[in-house]
Amino acid sequence: MTFDYELVGKIGSMALIDREDGIIDYTRVARISRELRPGYIWVSSGATEIGRLDYLQRTGKELTGESAKTDYAAQGQTILMQTYRQFVDPAYSVRQVLVEHHHFNDEQKSEHLKGLLLRCREQNAIPIVNYNDAVCAEENRKWEIESIQRRNGHAVECVDNDETAAQIARLVHAETLLILTNTDGIYTDVSSETGLVEEIAGKDIPEVLAAIDYYTGFCSGASRAGANGAGAKLRYIKPAVEEGTKVIIANAKYAVREILSGGVPATRIGVK
């Protein structure tokens, strides 16, 4: 099987923030950034929380009301991109790509996005992708999603960047989808260090999908309010798995190269 992209990676907000100091974990972002190269697409959450922390630090107070999330996202996205650009190899271009659910539910917009991402690879550029929270009105988004579901029977919602990353991996036919979080992977028992599921596999794609459904039954809860948890991760990755993409769910404390080489604990999903 041939693939158009080597890797789509995603890091969550919780894995990007130094909670003790209330700022970006610059050491972690610097390490990840130095590993990025053409052939990689990086989906990065964190803009909203980084914007919140930055606003709080500058003003000593927090925003209130329904518009707070969009205002924080607009403020944090600039900091997020500036930080990646600071540490990515200067030989490579860095390109900001902000997406919404339209880009996966509309065939013409999907093809436009795919073309942009494929050109990045050819033009020595690394796309840094995030959902465009700054201009996404929640009520409008819900109405649009409901309309698409009524018309098509299903819709890509992109309420979580795990789903965004999986849809991008499917779109560009990526060899590997790497989801970085603050745990070592999927657990059958989150209270036990011995409950890590190291492999979800099968002899073919239907068997892998059945195994994903099985292990989804062990998953409940999330690491933070507003997050969708391990079960959602497993549901979101299925469209990418159907296209032959291998999936790794791993801890962001490890280097990307260590994870890809199999040298650290992780949950690895795909055809044997």
Side-chain angles (χ1 to χ4, degrees), residues 17 56 61 102 114 129 131 161 188 229 235 245-246 261:
I17 304 297
L56 179 61
K61 60 183 180 181
H102 302 288
K114 180 178 180 179
V129 183
Y131 194 82
N161 267 339
T188 54
R235 290 191 295 273
T245 297
K246 296 176 294 184
S261 70

Side-chain angles (χ1 to χ4, degrees), residues 137-168:
E138 183 63 16
E139 286 305 312
N140 287 345
R141 188 193 67 81
K142 288 179 179 179
W143 180 85
E144 290 163 354
I145 290 294
E146 289 172 0
S147 296
I148 294 167
Q149 288 174 333
R150 286 195 299 269
R151 184 170 64 250
N152 299 337
H154 65 89
V156 176
E157 298 188 40
C158 289
V159 294
D160 189 302
N161 267 339
D162 291 327
E163 183 180 18
T164 303
Q167 288 296 324
I168 288 174

Side-chain angles (χ1 to χ4, degrees), residues 43-45 47-48 69-75 77-78 96-104 128-138 141 144 157-161 164 168:
V43 180
S44 183
S45 298
T48 301
K69 179 180 179 181
T70 60
D71 296 343
Y72 286 148
Q75 184 155 335
Q77 188 63 30
T78 61
Q96 176 179 251
V97 180
L98 298 176
V99 301
E100 297 182 60
H101 70 84
H102 302 288
H103 297 101
F104 306 101
I128 307 292
V129 183
N130 197 1
Y131 194 82
N132 198 4
D133 285 313
V135 299
C136 179
E138 183 63 16
R141 188 193 67 81
E144 290 163 354
E157 298 188 40
C158 289
V159 294
D160 189 302
N161 267 339
T164 303
I168 288 174

Side-chain angles (χ1 to χ4, degrees), residues 39-61:
Y40 285 13
I41 296 171
W42 198 250
V43 180
S44 183
S45 298
T48 301
E49 181 63 5
I50 290 167
R52 185 187 72 83
L53 293 170
D54 185 64
Y55 185 84
L56 179 61
Q57 184 179 48
R58 293 178 189 278
T59 66
K61 60 183 180 181

Side-chain angles (χ1 to χ4, degrees), residues 67-222:
S67 62
K69 179 180 179 181
T70 60
D71 296 343
Y72 286 148
Q75 184 155 335
Q77 188 63 30
T78 61
I79 300 168
L80 191 63
M81 288 303 302
Q82 179 185 34
T83 306
Y84 278 113
R85 175 63 280 178
Q86 181 179 354
F87 295 111
V88 167
D89 189 324
Y92 306 141
S93 300
V94 173
R95 296 181 181 175
Q96 176 179 251
V97 180
L98 298 176
V99 301
E100 297 182 60
H101 70 84
H102 302 288
H103 297 101
F104 306 101
N105 290 310
D106 181 283
E107 185 176 353
Q108 187 174 3
K109 291 180 179 179
S110 291
E111 286 302 308
H112 180 82
L113 175 61
K114 180 178 180 179
L116 167 64
L117 295 172
L118 293 179
R119 290 194 303 276
C120 286
R121 182 197 61 193
E122 301 303 324
Q123 295 168 1
N124 219 35
I126 302 163
I128 307 292
V129 183
N130 197 1
Y131 194 82
N132 198 4
D133 285 313
V135 299
C136 179
E138 183 63 16
E139 286 305 312
N140 287 345
R141 188 193 67 81
K142 288 179 179 179
W143 180 85
E144 290 163 354
I145 290 294
E146 289 172 0
S147 296
I148 294 167
Q149 288 174 333
R150 286 195 299 269
R151 184 170 64 250
N152 299 337
H154 65 89
V156 176
E157 298 188 40
C158 289
V159 294
D160 189 302
N161 267 339
D162 291 327
E163 183 180 18
T164 303
Q167 288 296 324
I168 288 174
R170 177 195 60 79
L171 184 66
V172 301
H173 199 206
E175 182 176 8
T176 302
L177 169 61
L178 171 62
I179 297 177
L180 295 182
T181 182
N182 55 357
T183 68
D184 284 349
I186 300 297
Y187 286 79
T188 54
D189 181 0
V190 294
S191 65
S192 171
E193 293 184 0
T194 62
L196 177 66
V197 179
E198 296 185 359
E199 184 179 68
I200 301 176
K203 66 179 184 299
D204 54 28
I205 289 173
E207 197 167 283
V208 176
L209 294 173
I212 290 172
D213 289 339
Y214 171 76
Y215 283 104
T216 300
F218 290 97
C219 300
S220 62

